[in-house]
Amino acid sequence: MHAPLRKKRVSDEYAPRLNQSIRGLKRKRGISKRAAVKSPEKWSVYKHLKNAVTKKIKFAVHSYYLGLINEHQHNPKKMRQTISKVLDRSSNSQIPRSLTVEGKRLSRETDVLQALSHHFVSVGQNLAGQIQQNSNDDPLKHITQEESSISFTPVDCNYVRKAIQPLKNRKASGTDMVPIMLIKDVTDLISQPLTMIFNSSLRTGVFPGIWKVAKVTLIFKSGSRSNANNYRPILEVSVFPRILERIVHNQIYEHLKATNPLTMSQSAFQKCCSTIKSLIDSTDKWYDNINDKQLNLTTFLDLKRAFDTANHSLLIGKLR
């Protein structure tokens, strides 16, 4: 028995911006096209329906995203997500087909990946080496010494179960390919062994080496695709180390709240101290200066690869 092969185009059925009127018009367009193939004199009807569908879809897309922008105008995170959708910023990994390193063009996939890996590992150290430092000035002497210490406390199974539930199902699973939804379904079965691993790590101060392995996703920024500087690496770690990081974060944050070493002027990474609050405070001061007939002089700094060039010895010294 011979079964003929037929091609069928499958489109995304879930498109909230497309209403029933547009869907019905698209069906009419399809019928009109099949009729026009058989009868050439009906091509004008098909073209009319095609232009009508295109016009209605453009208007529907415009109205849909405009509604999202108005809905999320007070939610910066949702607003960024909406703008990314409008600009069609795909988060899929984009490995370049070729790469130019020191004037040499690499086209083999293994060579390209090795060159990218070496670039991302060394770029921070290379930039940090170019920073001029004053050997006569010790940055740590400007830090006020605080008589406080922190010791991590063990957690129980109930704490681990509560830490798992807030995880978002759509987040990447990492190198072990274990989805968050599956972990939530078996939380009662794995909470006890996870608690033992977490407490052992908190007690010994050792982070499991296998949890340090991450999947790297490349995001192209702009410019030439053969230049490694035009790519941003995104690390996707497994779910379990994220839970341990959250446990450590919660205990450190509670210690900081108790000892109060942070200033409220420090924006981000503090509850009720987002960058939006910093902008509002600055704007209020600028308006006050304008009302007092004074000038505003503002300096904006954009640090290149700030996290890659951070001095770890200074960070550790400040923590001590």
Side-chain angles (χ1 to χ4, degrees):
M1 180 182 295
H2 173 68
L5 297 177
R6 298 186 61 182
K7 292 183 178 181
K8 180 66 176 179
R9 181 180 178 183
V10 180
S11 58
D12 187 5
E13 292 295 330
Y14 179 73
R17 57 188 177 273
L18 302 183
N19 51 37
Q20 294 298 326
S21 174
I22 297 178
R23 297 180 189 277
L25 197 60
K26 290 176 66 177
R27 286 192 291 269
K28 291 181 180 180
R29 181 191 61 183
I31 296 173
S32 176
K33 183 178 181 179
R34 289 192 291 270
V37 172
K38 298 178 181 179
S39 302
E41 64 273 7
K42 296 183 179 180
W43 275 108
S44 59
V45 179
Y46 164 70
K47 290 181 179 179
H48 175 75
L49 288 173
K50 179 182 177 182
N51 293 335
V53 170
T54 302
K55 184 176 180 180
K56 282 185 173 293
I57 289 178
K58 288 183 178 180
F59 180 78
V61 170
H62 173 78
S63 301
Y64 172 73
Y65 285 117
L66 183 61
L68 288 181
I69 291 175
N70 292 331
E71 179 183 354
H72 303 316
Q73 57 181 335
H74 300 300
N75 189 329
K77 182 178 180 180
K78 292 289 185 180
M79 179 64 75
R80 288 195 299 270
Q81 293 175 354
T82 301
I83 293 176
S84 297
K85 291 181 180 178
V86 173
L87 299 179
D88 191 22
R89 292 177 177 173
S90 175
S91 60
N92 296 329
S93 179
Q94 304 176 28
I95 301 177
R97 296 182 179 179
S98 62
L99 206 66
T100 302
V101 180
E102 298 180 353
K104 183 179 179 180
R105 185 174 180 272
L106 306 177
S107 57
R108 290 178 53 189
E109 184 177 2
T110 54
D111 295 337
V112 171
L113 293 177
Q114 289 178 359
L116 287 171
S117 176
H118 179 267
H119 170 76
F120 292 131
V121 169
S122 60
V123 63
Q125 298 177 355
N126 295 337
L127 287 175
Q130 300 175 9
I131 300 176
Q132 297 182 357
Q133 299 180 358
N134 187 357
S135 58
N136 298 325
D137 185 20
D138 182 12
L140 294 177
K141 72 179 183 180
H142 302 287
I143 300 176
T144 303
Q145 297 294 330
E146 298 287 346
E147 295 296 333
S148 64
S149 62
I150 178 176
S151 58
F152 295 110
T153 58
V155 296
D156 54 20
C157 295
N158 188 38
Y159 187 97
V160 173
R161 284 193 290 267
K162 290 182 178 180
I164 293 176
Q165 292 307 316
L167 297 176
K168 297 181 179 179
N169 295 335
R170 62 181 180 83
K171 292 294 185 180
S173 57
T175 56
D176 56 14
M177 303 302 293
V178 179
I180 297 178
M181 185 176 297
L182 176 60
I183 295 176
K184 289 183 177 181
D185 291 339
V186 297
T187 299
D188 293 335
L189 298 176
I190 65 175
S191 60
Q192 184 174 359
L194 281 179
T195 302
M196 296 173 61
I197 296 174
F198 294 158
N199 287 335
S200 176
S201 178
L202 294 174
R203 183 178 64 257
T204 60
V206 178
F207 194 86
I210 193 173
W211 285 352
K212 298 179 183 180
V213 180
K215 181 172 63 176
V216 180
T217 300
L218 292 181
I219 303 299
F220 176 71
K221 296 184 293 186
S222 62
S224 173
R225 292 185 177 271
S226 61
N227 189 346
N229 289 314
N230 296 331
Y231 291 88
R232 179 164 57 95
I234 302 296
L235 299 183
E236 298 176 4
V237 298
S238 302
V239 180
F240 302 118
R242 278 184 254 168
I243 302 173
L244 178 57
E245 289 175 358
R246 177 52 55 180
I247 294 174
V248 173
H249 169 270
N250 291 341
Q251 296 196 22
I252 293 178
Y253 188 75
E254 291 299 325
H255 172 75
L256 293 177
K257 285 201 306 182
T259 56
N260 196 26
L262 301 179
T263 172
M264 294 297 293
S265 300
Q266 176 177 320
S267 301
F269 310 110
Q270 290 193 84
K271 292 182 180 179
C272 304
C273 291
S274 66
T275 53
I276 299 297
K277 178 181 178 297
S278 176
L279 291 174
I280 294 175
D281 292 341
S282 299
T283 304
D284 289 341
K285 292 180 181 178
W286 296 338
Y287 277 129
D288 291 339
N289 293 338
I290 293 175
N291 293 332
D292 295 338
K293 297 182 180 181
Q294 297 180 357
L295 296 177
N296 290 312
L297 179 61
T298 307
T299 302
F300 295 93
L301 298 178
D302 185 9
L303 302 180
K304 184 178 180 181
R305 297 188 179 274
F307 288 98
D308 293 334
T309 57
N311 191 318
H312 289 187
S313 62
L314 292 180
L315 291 177
I316 295 175
K318 186 174 182 181
L319 289 173
R320 290 174 176 173

